[in-house]
Amino acid sequence: MKIKGLLFSVLFLLALTGLYAQPVNSSQVIPPQHWIYDSLKTLGMETKTVCFNENSMMTVSELRFYFEQLDPETLSPSGQILYEEAENFLYETDSLVDLTPFRFDIGVNLNAEGYYKTSDDIPWSFRYNYKDNLATFPIIAGFSDYFTLQTDPFIGKSHYGSSRNDNYTNLPYRDGDVEFLFPRFAYGSLAGAFNGWGANIHIGKQGFQIGDTKIGSVIYNRTFETDAYINLNLFSKHFKYSMDTVQISNEKWFYLHQFTVRPHKTFKISVLEGSMLNAPFEIRYLNPLMIMHQYASWTEYDSDGKNSVYGENHFCAYLAGLFDWQPFENLRIYGLYAQNELQLPSEKTKTGILTPDSLGGQLGVEVKLPYEGGYWKGFTEAIYTSPYLYVKQNPESSLFRERGDNLASDTIYSWVGSPFGPDTFGVKAGFGYELPRKWSAEAGYFFLAKGENGFELFDSDNKNKDGFYTYYPWVKYNVAKDSPEADKVYDEAYSDARNMWLSGTPMYVNQISLEGQYYVNQKLSAAARTIYTLISNAGHESGRFAHGVEFAISLSYTIF
């Protein structure tokens, strides 16, 4: 009885808890899953105002800067409510300890989840968890208004534990279940916004994203697991510059420069150049206005003497762009593009044409119509990735991460962009109603066609007898050009390189989903989702079908 009484008291106190936790200062970094990002986008759609808030993570000062560009006089009653809630969050700071200029805060976020699927032949729709880890303990220290340190230790399941078919909860209770590699969200931030401009820089671990999409960003997605990154931003009302230096692993670095221009309040366009280097850190890639392609770095790194086989080694060039347009109130049209290889006509020689064009793109339309204090919402988004997007001549030069979990003897892979990787075509659509921070309900449909190119390309099975990877068309021919079968290999390599649709036996996935969320208050919420999945050519086996239903439920008490 005492235990029941204690449990009831705890739940009662949680239910009576008032407002959600406030930031400690304006240099605090807001994680990408926070509701404030979607709220600012919704307000921007109502006021036909495009801001530079498509990337996350962002500091409070930068979010305030974009919030102040919105005109509250043009908002609907639904927008007025949302505007007031966003304003309260952004401008009211709070902390457990306030010894100005030093502030300190610590919290406990609890999230209990349950899962079930009717068939082992369908994969889980999530990675690690449905909503969040079992418990998170955010620790934040603010020094004046301009510098913040934060780390979020957590108790949660490992990749191995969460990917098992008999995974029924986010509570780690078996051998190999506990994730010992934490935290994932930790940073130090320096930030400020002034009269008409602002700047910030922060170092974090992983989780930032370029582009606001529904099925992951084809450019750089928050599911990409890295060791660390440094993000620098300079911004005004009409221009933004971002530099990202990412340490993917021990000696794998990714340098990104992004320029974004807003010529009109309803439209923005962005261009990004990147260089991935599998070699020691180099300062030349940090020059903010340098065109990195001029270094011709693909010819410079041959410490292991493999350039004669691979042609290029330890390097990958990257180019991307995006646009965001709001031609009418409550309507958003957006697009993203990414490439790591595109052969010019002059490069399409007999052997040059064996280098595949590696590119991908997304196009989406989003609508949010205010009604009775909330919003009717709908969207459609399509994604395409060519068979060799993110893929180069060998794993060392490709845009992915492989890490090991020695405690669970597990290997975890992640692509830099779309979580579905290369060789895909997908469409997602959804429709629902949302009363922000109160309740929401949504129905959705997702179609994904997936070719055979994926992480399997980097298996040792794709090495020849001399230990070289031969999955790449140019390499496949290069190692066989002096053999009796050179002509046959050339034809196969040419076919692979020029194919811009799905490779091998495509797998077709259809999903119908229903999802809802209810907030008892701003801290206590419950969510549930069910997905019916039908797969044709399951496992890329022609004629094999698989289907099943997945259920997930979550009860969360969230301080921040």
Side-chain angles (χ1 to χ4, degrees):
M1 291 298 291
K2 290 183 178 180
I3 296 177
K4 290 183 178 179
L6 178 61
L7 180 60
F8 177 80
S9 299
V10 170
L11 292 175
F12 181 74
L13 287 174
L14 295 183
L16 290 179
T17 307
L19 292 175
Y20 40 82
Q22 304 298 130
V24 300
N25 62 16
S26 64
S27 57
Q28 185 170 328
V29 174
I30 306 301
Q33 68 272 19
H34 198 278
W35 60 266
I36 190 64
Y37 290 104
D38 190 64
S39 295
L40 287 184
K41 178 181 67 175
T42 301
L43 294 170
M45 290 173 65
E46 271 211 48
T47 59
K48 290 178 60 179
T49 304
V50 173
C51 296
F52 302 132
N53 56 351
E54 76 282 355
N55 294 359
S56 59
M57 308 167 182
M58 288 189 180
T59 62
V60 172
S61 62
E62 186 172 357
L63 291 169
R64 287 176 182 171
F65 185 85
Y66 301 141
F67 179 79
E68 290 167 3
Q69 297 176 39
L70 304 173
D71 181 7
E73 300 298 325
T74 62
L75 292 171
S76 67
S78 298
Q80 294 283 354
I81 297 171
L82 192 59
Y83 183 92
E84 182 179 352
E85 191 170 56
E87 185 178 40
N88 290 339
F89 172 77
L90 291 172
Y91 291 91
E92 293 182 10
T93 59
D94 193 16
S95 58
L96 181 66
V97 177
D98 188 350
L99 301 173
T100 304
F102 174 75
R103 290 175 174 172
F104 177 80
D105 200 22
I106 186 170
V108 179
N109 301 342
L110 304 176
N111 178 67
E113 296 184 349
Y115 325 121
Y116 179 73
K117 58 179 181 174
T118 61
S119 172
D120 291 346
D121 293 331
I122 62 170
W124 293 108
S125 63
F126 53 81
R127 193 172 193 178
Y128 295 111
N129 48 67
Y130 165 42
K131 287 290 186 181
D132 205 347
N133 293 300
L134 177 67
T136 306
F137 311 96
I139 303 170
I140 311 171
F143 300 83
S144 75
D145 206 34
Y146 301 105
F147 189 76
T148 304
L149 301 174
Q150 180 171 351
T151 183
D152 284 13
F154 64 85
I155 298 173
K157 265 193 174 177
S158 65
H159 178 269
Y160 170 79
S162 61
S163 60
R164 294 171 60 163
N165 285 318
D166 57 347
N167 174 36
Y168 301 116
T169 174
N170 66 341
L171 171 67
Y173 63 93
R174 295 176 295 198
D175 289 342
D177 268 5
V178 178
E179 176 63 273
F180 288 97
L181 304 179
F182 62 82
R184 297 190 187 111
F185 182 66
Y187 68 87
S189 171
L190 178 66
F194 312 100
N195 185 22
W197 71 285
N200 57 65
I201 183 171
H202 79 272
I203 179 171
K205 186 185 185 301
Q206 64 185 48
F208 83 89
Q209 180 163 318
I210 299 175
D212 182 1
T213 65
K214 300 297 183 180
I215 48 179
S217 169
V218 73
I219 298 174
Y220 193 112
N221 200 55
R222 69 187 189 190
T223 53
F224 187 40
E225 299 193 10
T226 59
D227 282 346
Y229 70 88
I230 296 177
N231 172 246
L232 169 69
N233 297 288
L234 301 170
F235 53 90
S236 66
K237 291 183 178 180
H238 302 288
F239 175 82
K240 181 176 181 179
Y241 171 79
S242 299
M243 178 193 293
D244 301 297
T245 302
V246 184
Q247 185 172 11
I248 300 174
S249 55
N250 184 26
E251 284 196 350
K252 201 169 187 178
W253 297 83
F254 198 20
Y255 306 89
L256 299 165
H257 299 170
Q258 183 180 2
F259 301 86
T260 309
V261 178
R262 188 181 73 162
H264 189 268
K265 66 174 290 189
T266 63
F267 181 78
K268 69 182 174 189
I269 189 168
S270 182
V271 176
L272 178 147
E273 184 190 16
S275 294
M276 195 287 297
L277 179 63
N278 197 328
F281 178 82
E282 291 197 26
I283 195 172
R284 61 177 173 169
Y285 297 103
L286 302 184
N287 190 332
L289 296 179
M290 180 59 68
I291 299 175
M292 295 182 284
H293 201 69
Q294 70 160 285
Y295 295 135
S297 301
W298 53 90
T299 65
E300 295 188 337
Y301 302 97
D302 193 26
S303 59
D304 50 10
K306 296 179 180 179
N307 268 17
S308 60
V309 176
Y310 291 129
E312 302 175 12
N313 202 14
H314 295 284
F315 181 82
C316 179
Y318 200 53
L319 183 67
L322 64 85
F323 77 88
D324 208 318
W325 182 35
Q326 296 179 8
F328 307 105
E329 292 180 2
N330 306 305
L331 173 66
R332 172 177 175 247
I333 302 172
Y334 57 94
L336 296 83
Y337 172 82
Q339 70 170 61
N340 57 274
E341 191 69 61
L342 186 65
Q343 292 295 91
L344 299 174
S346 60
E347 297 175 308
K348 293 182 178 180
T349 60
K350 178 182 177 180
T351 55
I353 204 168
L354 300 181
T355 299
D357 293 332
S358 307
L359 51 89
Q362 283 173 274
L363 187 64
V365 178
E366 186 175 8
V367 177
K368 289 195 174 185
L369 301 175
Y371 179 78
E372 296 292 329
Y375 294 88
W376 289 104
K377 56 183 183 179
F379 70 88
T380 301
E381 181 176 301
I383 185 170
Y384 163 78
T385 59
S386 69
Y388 290 93
L389 179 64
Y390 314 132
V391 177
K392 293 290 287 183
Q393 285 86 339
N394 56 30
E396 292 83 2
S397 307
S398 299
L399 293 168
F400 81 109
R401 163 75 185 268
E402 175 185 354
R403 72 171 178 89
D405 183 346
N406 294 329
L407 293 172
S409 300
D410 189 21
T411 303
I412 299 97
Y413 299 92
S414 57
W415 296 106
V416 66
S418 169
F420 307 108
D423 209 8
T424 62
F425 173 76
V427 178
K428 188 173 186 178
F431 175 78
Y433 181 81
E434 178 183 22
L435 194 61
R437 308 293 292 164
K438 300 295 183 183
W439 66 271
S440 65
E442 182 175 310
Y445 170 73
F446 179 43
F447 168 78
L448 180 71
K450 172 65 179 168
E452 292 190 13
N453 283 2
F455 293 122
E456 297 80 8
L457 292 174
F458 310 130
D459 289 346
S460 58
D461 294 343
N462 285 318
K463 289 183 178 181
N464 65 5
K465 59 182 178 61
D466 297 317
F468 296 106
Y469 286 93
T470 57
Y471 61 79
Y472 203 72
W474 189 93
V475 180
K476 180 186 292 187
Y477 174 70
N478 191 46
V479 298
K481 61 185 178 182
D482 297 324
S483 71
E485 297 185 343
D487 291 342
K488 178 184 177 182
V489 174
Y490 181 88
D491 291 341
E492 293 175 353
Y494 180 89
S495 177
D496 290 343
R498 293 301 96 200
N499 173 43
M500 296 300 289
W501 192 233
L502 307 177
S503 65
T505 301
M507 181 170 60
Y508 301 100
V509 180
N510 291 271
Q511 292 184 332
I512 299 173
S513 62
L514 294 173
E515 185 168 9
Q517 189 163 11
Y518 177 76
Y519 292 83
V520 177
N521 56 46
Q522 301 290 358
K523 288 187 176 183
L524 184 63
S525 66
R529 180 175 68 191
T530 181
I531 300 175
Y532 173 71
T533 300
L534 172 64
I535 305 175
S536 303
N537 296 344
H540 301 286
E541 297 180 20
S542 181
R544 181 187 169 203
F545 290 88
H547 70 101
V549 181
E550 172 191 302
F551 302 95
I553 189 169
S554 167
L555 180 64
S556 303
Y557 173 59
T558 304
I559 294 177
F560 182 71

